[in-house]
Amino acid sequence: MSALTDRTLVVSGGSRGIGLAIALAAAARGANVVLLAKTAEPHPKLPGTVHTAVAEVEAAGGKGVAVVGDVRKEEDVQRAVDAAVEHFGGVDIVVNNASAIATEPTEQLAAKKFDLMMDINVRGTFLLTKAALPYLRKSPDAHVITLAPPLNMNPHWLGAHPSYTLSKYGMTLLSRGWAAEYADAGIGFSCLWPQTYIATAAVANAPNFQEMLGRSRDPQIMGDAAAAILSRPAADVNGKCFIDSELLKQSGVTDLSRYGGGDDPILDIFVDKS
């Protein structure tokens, strides 16, 4: 319980789904959480807002602050970091969770969607990490977790949706690059990716959603996996890419049935069949 007590996280895209699950797992372990998200008012197709998310964080036992903003905008990202400093005295952990996905074939993919993925996935990760770095350097055990996959060069994934793959691998490359660039700074840069589909709004709003949701694990598995990373010294995780189920098994969690998904959960993008 003490590993996250009074440590401060800044989470992008934290109003729902995996970002919220990570925020709640940290809050349950005593953390302070600043959530940066665009959803200030209820959306007809998306559950929750940044304000309801903060209420959940506080109900879980943590302290929360909502910042309504866009991870693509430097001034909004800076406001989130400033809020962490103002309310909690600094930043110990960054969670680069905000992400956009479009998997249309190249000839059908609109340039606007290409730009959106690059702006949110790559630029947003860069902006938030950069803004937090002066404070991460001061933290006794700083971490930056980026929700991005291991670099799987299987031609299947390279060819399935090259633009989306580029944006997610861009996040991974930033994380691994920072691990080398700041090797002496005491910051643990790591990536975390789900082995299976996660029951998020993206799945719930997809065609065939009922079957997909039944074969998707609860976002809590990603929250618990992130907490497992944060319980380790920064030096132990720096430069590494983790898969949630494998990480939890290493941490002693042998029964993953609590997270749902049934006997045959759907493997996530970028995860090869064993």
Side-chain angles (χ1 to χ4, degrees), residues 45-47 197-210 212-213 216:
K45 291 187 177 181
L46 299 173
Y197 275 26
I198 301 296
T200 62
V203 174
N205 290 323
N208 259 349
F209 72 94
Q210 288 180 320
M212 291 170 62
L213 282 175
S216 300

Side-chain angles (χ1 to χ4, degrees), residues 148-166:
L151 295 174
N152 184 346
M153 304 310 285
N154 183 332
H156 171 75
W157 297 121
L158 293 177
H161 28 63
S163 297
Y164 177 62
T165 300
L166 174 64

Side-chain angles (χ1 to χ4, degrees), residues 3 11 17 22-23 31 46-47 51 82 104 118 124 145 152 161-162 237 256 267:
V11 183
I22 293 174
L46 299 173
H51 303 296
D82 290 346
E104 294 96 319
M118 299 304 160
I145 297 178
N152 184 346
H161 28 63
V237 302
L256 300 180
L267 287 180

Side-chain angles (χ1 to χ4, degrees), residues 8-271:
T8 299
L9 290 78
V10 180
V11 183
S12 66
S15 56
R16 63 183 66 85
I18 291 172
L20 178 56
I22 293 174
L24 293 177
R29 292 162 174 81
N32 311 312
V33 184
V34 176
L35 298 177
L36 171 65
K38 290 172 61 180
T39 312
E41 301 295 333
H43 188 283
K45 291 187 177 181
L46 299 173
T49 69
V50 67
H51 303 296
T52 61
V54 164
E56 290 187 56
V57 162
E58 294 181 342
K63 297 176 182 176
V65 173
V67 176
V68 179
D70 189 332
V71 75
R72 295 172 291 177
K73 296 181 178 178
E74 194 168 3
E75 60 273 21
D76 288 0
V77 169
Q78 190 62 54
R79 282 194 299 110
V81 171
D82 290 346
V85 175
E86 177 185 350
H87 288 271
F88 306 119
V91 178
D92 300 294
I93 298 156
V94 167
V95 179
N96 290 307
N97 167 73
S99 192
I101 180 172
T103 57
E104 294 96 319
T106 299
E107 290 172 274
Q108 280 78 55
L109 182 68
K112 185 176 181 180
K113 287 187 177 181
F114 178 92
D115 291 343
L116 182 68
M117 289 190 288
M118 299 304 160
D119 283 351
I120 294 177
N121 302 359
V122 181
R123 175 183 168 88
T125 295
F126 164 76
L127 287 178
L128 182 54
T129 305
K130 179 185 177 183
L133 272 167
Y135 303 99
L136 293 170
R137 285 177 173 276
K138 299 175 184 177
S139 172
D141 190 33
H143 286 261
V144 176
I145 297 178
T146 299
L147 276 292
L151 295 174
N152 184 346
M153 304 310 285
N154 183 332
H156 171 75
W157 297 121
L158 293 177
H161 28 63
S163 297
Y164 177 62
T165 300
L166 174 64
S167 71
K168 295 305 294 186
Y169 285 10
M171 295 170 72
T172 307
L173 286 169
L174 281 175
S175 179
R176 296 188 68 172
W178 287 324
E181 183 179 11
Y182 295 99
D184 298 328
I187 304 169
F189 291 93
S190 62
C191 293
L192 176 62
W193 193 249
Q195 179 194 35
T196 69
Y197 275 26
I198 301 296
T200 62
V203 174
N205 290 323
N208 259 349
F209 72 94
Q210 288 180 320
E211 179 191 354
M212 291 170 62
L213 282 175
R215 296 175 62 197
S216 300
R217 288 177 176 153
D218 190 275
Q220 185 187 347
I221 191 171
M222 290 291 280
D224 290 346
I229 292 173
L230 298 175
S231 70
R232 299 183 180 187
D236 288 0
V237 302
N238 192 42
K240 295 181 180 178
C241 294
F242 297 100
I243 298 293
D244 59 353
S245 59
E246 295 173 4
L247 176 61
L248 289 175
K249 288 176 182 177
Q250 292 171 13
S251 303
V253 180
T254 56
D255 182 8
L256 300 180
S257 63
R258 72 178 78 172
Y259 302 113
D263 296 330
D264 185 29
I266 304 170
L267 287 180
D268 204 358
I269 293 173
F270 308 118
V271 178

